[in-house]
Amino acid sequence: MSIKAIDFSRQAVYETQLLAKAMPPNSLGRLASLALKLALIKEGPLDSLSLLLFAGDHGVVEEGVTHSPQQITYQQCCNFASGGGACSLFASLNHATLSVIDVGVNHSFSEHEAVVDCKIGYGTRNFLQGPAMGREQCLQAMEAGRNRVRVAIETGAHAIAFGEMGVGNTTSASAVAAALTNLPVSAITGKGSGLSDAELEHKISVIEQALVLHPERDPLTVLCNLGGYEIAAICGGMLEAAEASLPILLDGFVVTSAALVANAMDEYFHKYLIPCHQSGMQGHRRMLESLGCGQPLLDLQMQLGEGTGALAAWPLVRLASHLLTDMTSFSDAQVTDSTKLLQSMGLV
């Protein structure tokens, strides 16, 4: 199965439908543009969102790139799975389905903790000492992501969003992004959860050393060498969602690094992305520009991750998806067609 090129010949039909709605032309601005983009990806209203939150630990934390102790990864997974945290709150308020999935956490979860077990390993290796993951492990993580998307589709998801949890994962995300975009490491590396200026310089140095140690730039090798289990799972899941012609609600910095890998694997992939927000993390805007998926819907300076940016944008996406099918037209509403009047005057 491969990703289909979107049929843009249908766009004129949808534009005509939108102009027939009982409102002045172009009066909904970017919301109307979003409606057109969504219709080209998947016709019909979107009412069911599945957020797949993948978790994994990172060996590079040995290099002092974060102040957060690694046990926070598994602790937060338990918190999210039990209904805590921002992602759970946002999902609940949005009536979205949240799944917390362990692909590489350095912890053994018990059944009662409600974390989905897709474990490939107990954290990646330190990528300054060799590849973060073996090729087979990376492919297994990607397949785990694909499988969870299939489950989401089988249970009725109309759109898919991805979240992540993993102490140290902004270091891996920056490394992956730098390798695939050729942007300077300093341009796409931020302080994460509160580094000092000097500590940020150290983090940048660690990533620069890794790029020299791992000079290969094909996407799968980059993912193996510099990524994380959760980044690999998100990459695989995104490819599966795009192959199923579903809109993908793109979250923040770490999830976007996975999208860069998927985009390097398939030329049509980025057309299925709905960029939900511009993260407050250093360099996220430039990563989005490299993807070529358009302007993000929100810019709230969020940098939490967990899929919270996608969840914040979901109400806008859902609204836009209903415009073509559910909004009354001039004729249905028995309202004088002011758009046709403007068209007759050559103003539209």
Side-chain angles (χ1 to χ4, degrees):
M1 192 171 177
S2 59
I3 298 174
K4 299 175 185 175
I6 289 176
D7 180 10
F8 285 96
S9 67
R10 296 178 294 154
Q11 183 161 335
V13 174
Y14 297 139
E15 288 174 345
T16 299
Q17 290 177 10
L18 200 57
L19 285 172
K21 300 302 180 183
M23 61 179 175
N26 306 315
S27 55
L28 284 179
R30 291 181 59 207
L31 200 62
S33 300
L34 177 59
L36 295 173
K37 180 173 182 177
L38 291 170
L40 287 167
I41 295 171
K42 180 180 173 60
E43 286 187 309
L46 306 175
D47 290 319
S48 176
L49 175 68
S50 180
L51 172 65
L52 305 177
L53 190 154
F54 292 94
D57 278 309
H58 294 258
V60 73
V61 298
E62 297 172 354
E63 301 298 328
V65 293
T66 178
H67 290 306
S68 300
Q70 195 171 74
Q71 62 262 32
I72 287 177
T73 301
Y74 83 79
Q75 291 168 347
Q76 283 285 51
C77 285
C78 295
N79 179 33
F80 301 156
S82 65
C87 61
S88 293
L89 174 64
F90 288 11
S92 176
L93 292 171
N94 276 313
H95 306 290
T97 301
L98 168 64
S99 300
V100 181
I101 305 151
D102 169 23
V103 282
V105 181
N106 188 21
H107 177 78
S108 295
F109 294 95
S110 62
E111 288 186 13
H112 77 273
E113 287 169 321
V115 175
V116 179
D117 180 13
C118 294
K119 190 183 290 293
I120 311 300
Y122 287 83
T124 58
R125 294 187 292 270
N126 182 345
F127 58 49
L128 284 190
Q129 298 175 9
M133 298 171 282
R135 186 182 182 90
E136 187 59 33
Q137 292 172 310
C138 184
L139 290 172
Q140 288 174 1
M142 291 179 69
E143 185 59 28
R146 285 181 172 274
N147 283 333
R148 297 314 303 178
V149 168
R150 293 183 196 120
V151 170
I153 293 171
E154 288 169 2
T155 54
H158 297 158
I160 305 288
F162 296 89
E164 40 64 39
M165 181 63 221
V167 170
N169 64 8
T170 62
T171 301
S172 285
S174 293
V176 167
L180 293 177
T181 64
N182 292 318
L183 290 167
V185 174
S186 59
I188 50 174
T189 304
K191 294 183 176 181
S193 54
L195 298 179
S196 68
D197 290 344
E199 289 164 335
L200 174 58
E201 289 302 316
H202 171 67
K203 181 178 178 180
I204 290 169
S205 175
V206 166
I207 296 169
E208 288 174 339
Q209 292 174 60
L211 294 176
V212 173
L213 180 65
H214 304 289
E216 302 87 354
R217 293 296 178 262
D218 68 278
L220 181 58
T221 304
V222 167
L223 186 58
C224 293
N225 288 344
L226 302 170
Y229 287 114
E230 81 279 38
I231 295 173
I234 292 167
C235 175
M238 285 180 162
L239 289 168
E240 184 71 24
E243 288 171 10
S245 298
L246 289 188
I248 301 166
L249 273 64
L250 183 64
D251 192 51
F253 190 82
V254 176
V255 172
T256 301
S257 74
L260 286 168
V261 180
N263 198 47
M265 292 179 172
D266 194 293
E267 62 178 320
Y268 299 125
F269 167 76
H270 67 285
K271 296 295 186 181
Y272 291 84
L273 294 174
I274 308 300
C276 288
H277 80 123
Q278 182 174 307
S279 170
M281 287 285 290
Q282 169 83 2
H284 189 234
R285 177 183 60 81
R286 298 187 71 177
M287 291 165 68
L288 291 174
E289 289 172 352
S290 293
L291 276 174
C293 57
Q295 186 179 352
L297 298 176
L298 303 172
D299 184 356
L300 302 175
Q301 291 302 294
M302 295 169 64
Q303 51 183 333
L304 178 60
E306 304 173 11
T308 50
L311 289 167
W314 168 238
L316 295 177
V317 175
R318 186 165 178 256
L319 284 173
S321 76
H322 278 260
L323 290 178
L324 288 171
T325 54
D326 294 343
M327 185 176 176
T328 53
S329 65
F330 286 108
S331 60
D332 290 338
Q334 296 184 330
V335 171
T336 299
D337 193 333
S338 58
T339 296
K340 281 187 176 178
L341 175 63
L342 292 171
Q343 288 173 327
S344 69
M345 298 168 66
L347 297 175
V348 175

